[in-house]
């Protein structure tokens, strides 16, 4: 190939390359515009979807808020109904308790009137002062502390009458005050006497307990036991082994119990049994022949000359 031909071919290749580059650029521009259009469509669809989701979320939030308001109203209504029911039950319990108190008060008032009438009749007859009739001890012991306090309040309200101070003059008030003072004085005197009596009885009980302990100690010493064996709340323990034994005893209770059964009495009974057997053997070995002939004059026999 000559130089001119080579130059012509090189020129044609350069022009073809430039055309290819322009075509590629135009093609890439078309694709880029299509991609931009598709991207715009995707973004628009995404925004529409996002708007729909936000509207749905807002609707759900509104629905949740309305349900909360409805639930709060329902809870408020239920609380009011529950409070009304509790108030009704409390009112019924209070009315029932008041009716029971009135009934018990009437019964105790009747019993108090009967007691006063009985005491007045005994006083007229000149008899000795007796206590009120005995109540059921089991029924009284089964009462709780609250029931006892309640009955005590009712009894005091029956026995202690309210004072009509507005209707009393100075002399009546002075007499009433002296009467109350004398009652308080007698009650305090009785209280002191009962306290002293209680102290004396406690001292006597302690002295008797000490005497009993001394007697039990002497009884235990006579029997060869520990002095404090009978003074406890339980009987003395049976010692089944020596207190000087250091090894662990593997014998059973029955085996250990047999060690202390009998003693000299068992030995004596065994000795008597062996002696009896020896005597019986000697007696069984005696000859069974006839008795020997009697020599001499047999006692009781009559003589021939007589």
């Amino acid at each position: 190939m000559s130089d001119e031909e080579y130059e012509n071919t090189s020129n044609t290749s350069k022009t073809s390359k430039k055309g290819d580059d322009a075509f590629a650029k135009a093609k890439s521009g078309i694709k880029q515009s299509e991609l931009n259009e598709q991207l715009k469509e995707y973004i628009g669809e995404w925004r529409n979807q996002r708007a729909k989701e936000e509207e749905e979320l807002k609707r759900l939030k509104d629905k949740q808020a309305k349900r909360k308001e409805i639930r709060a109203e329902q809870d408020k209504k239920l609380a009011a109904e529950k409070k009304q029911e509790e108030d009704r039950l409390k009112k019924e319990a209070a009315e029932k308790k008041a009716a029971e108190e009135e009934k018990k008060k009437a019964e105790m008032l009747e019993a108090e009137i009967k007691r006063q009438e009985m005491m007045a009749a005994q006083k007229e007859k000149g008899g000795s002062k007796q206590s009120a009739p005995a109540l059921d001890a089991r029924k009284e012991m089964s009462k709780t502390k609250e029931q006892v306090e309640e009955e005590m309040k009712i009894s005091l309200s029956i026995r202690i009458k309210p004072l009509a101070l507005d209707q009393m003059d100075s002399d009546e008030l002075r007499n009433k005050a002296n009467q109350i003072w004398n009652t308080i004085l007698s009650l305090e005197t009785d209280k002191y006497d009962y306290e002293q009596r209680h102290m004396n009885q406690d001292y006597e009980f302690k002295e008797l307990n000490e005497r009993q302990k001394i007697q039990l100690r002497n009884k235990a010493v006579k029997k060869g036991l520990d002095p404090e064996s009978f003074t406890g709340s339980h009987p003395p323990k049976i010692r089944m082994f020596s207190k000087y034994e250091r090894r662990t005893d593997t014998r059973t209770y029955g085996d250990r119990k047999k060690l202390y059964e009998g003693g000299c009495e068992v030995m004596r009974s065994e000795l008597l049994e062996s002696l009896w057997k020896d005597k019986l053997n000697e007696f069984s070995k005696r000859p069974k022949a006839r008795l020997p002939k009697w020599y001499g004059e047999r006692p009781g026999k009559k003589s021939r000359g007589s």
Side-chain angles (χ1 to χ4, degrees), residues 210-228:
E210 289 297 328
R211 289 182 183 178
Q212 186 182 17
K213 286 182 180 180
I214 292 170
Q215 292 177 359
L216 292 174
R217 287 193 187 100
N218 295 334
K219 185 178 179 181
V221 169
K222 286 181 181 180
K223 291 189 175 184
L225 300 173
D226 186 49
E228 302 296 332

Side-chain angles (χ1 to χ4, degrees), residues 241-301:
F241 56 90
S242 175
K243 64 180 180 179
Y244 302 105
E245 186 70 31
R246 295 184 180 180
R247 292 178 299 175
T248 304
D249 196 356
T250 58
R251 292 173 295 184
T252 61
Y253 178 77
D255 296 339
R256 287 181 290 173
K257 185 178 179 182
K258 289 179 181 179
L259 295 174
Y260 296 92
E261 287 181 351
C264 294
E265 295 179 357
V266 175
M267 294 173 63
R268 184 172 175 275
S269 62
E270 291 177 355
L271 179 61
L272 292 175
E273 187 70 21
S274 63
L275 291 174
W276 162 254
K277 287 180 180 179
D278 294 340
K279 294 291 184 183
L280 183 62
N281 291 331
E282 290 179 1
F283 183 75
S284 61
K285 289 179 183 179
R286 66 181 175 78
K288 297 182 180 180
R290 294 176 64 184
L291 293 173
K293 190 176 181 180
W294 185 268
Y295 292 98
E297 187 176 355
R298 181 163 58 86
K301 184 179 179 181

Side-chain angles (χ1 to χ4, degrees), residues 21 42 69 156 218 234 268 274:
D21 294 336
Y42 291 154
E69 291 177 359
L156 290 175
N218 295 334
H234 302 284
R268 184 172 175 275
S274 63

Side-chain angles (χ1 to χ4, degrees), residues 2-192:
S2 62
D3 297 334
E4 294 179 359
E5 290 177 356
Y6 178 78
E7 188 176 353
N8 292 329
T9 54
S10 61
N11 292 329
T12 54
S13 62
K14 286 180 181 179
T15 55
S16 63
K17 285 181 179 178
K18 288 179 181 179
D20 292 337
D21 294 336
F23 180 76
K25 287 181 180 180
K27 190 175 181 180
S28 63
I30 292 168
K31 288 184 178 179
Q32 188 69 29
S33 62
E34 290 178 357
L35 289 173
N36 292 334
E37 291 293 332
Q38 289 180 359
L39 184 60
K40 287 179 181 179
E41 290 177 1
Y42 291 154
I43 291 171
E45 290 179 359
W46 176 77
R47 286 177 178 174
N48 294 332
Q49 187 69 24
R50 179 67 183 271
K52 290 179 181 179
E53 290 177 355
E54 288 179 354
E55 289 178 359
E56 184 68 17
L57 183 62
K58 186 177 179 182
R59 187 180 65 82
L60 292 174
K61 285 184 177 180
D62 295 339
K63 187 177 179 180
Q64 186 179 10
K66 289 180 181 179
R67 290 185 63 185
K68 284 184 178 180
E69 291 177 359
I70 295 170
R71 181 65 61 82
E73 291 178 358
Q74 290 178 354
D75 291 342
K76 190 175 180 181
K77 187 176 179 181
L78 289 173
E81 291 178 356
K82 187 176 180 181
K83 187 176 180 181
Q84 290 178 0
E85 184 68 17
E86 289 179 354
D87 293 340
R88 185 180 64 81
L89 293 175
K90 287 181 180 179
K91 187 177 179 181
E92 290 179 357
E95 291 176 355
K96 186 177 179 181
K97 187 176 180 181
E100 290 178 355
E101 288 181 357
E102 289 294 332
K103 184 179 178 181
K104 190 179 291 185
K105 189 173 181 179
E107 292 176 356
M108 294 185 71
L109 180 61
E110 186 178 356
E112 183 68 17
I113 292 170
K114 289 182 179 179
R115 189 184 69 84
Q116 291 180 1
E117 290 178 354
M118 186 174 62
M119 291 180 66
Q122 289 178 357
K123 191 173 181 180
E124 290 178 357
K125 291 180 181 179
S128 60
K129 185 178 179 181
Q130 296 179 357
S131 61
L135 300 174
D136 190 2
R138 187 175 299 174
K139 185 177 179 181
E140 290 294 325
M141 292 295 291
S142 63
K143 292 180 180 178
T144 60
K145 187 177 180 181
E146 290 79 9
Q147 290 177 349
V148 173
E149 290 179 355
E150 186 178 357
E151 291 183 358
M152 182 180 68
K153 289 179 181 178
I154 294 172
S155 179
L156 290 175
S157 65
I158 291 170
R159 296 189 183 186
I160 301 174
K161 301 296 181 182
L163 298 175
L165 300 177
D166 298 335
Q167 301 176 2
M168 293 183 180
D169 56 1
S170 61
D171 295 334
E172 291 177 352
L173 288 173
R174 189 179 293 106
N175 294 331
K176 193 66 179 178
N178 291 330
Q179 182 182 355
I180 294 172
W181 170 254
N182 293 329
T183 304
I184 294 172
L185 188 62
S186 63
L187 291 174
E188 288 292 335
T189 305
D190 294 339
K191 178 184 176 183
Y192 177 77

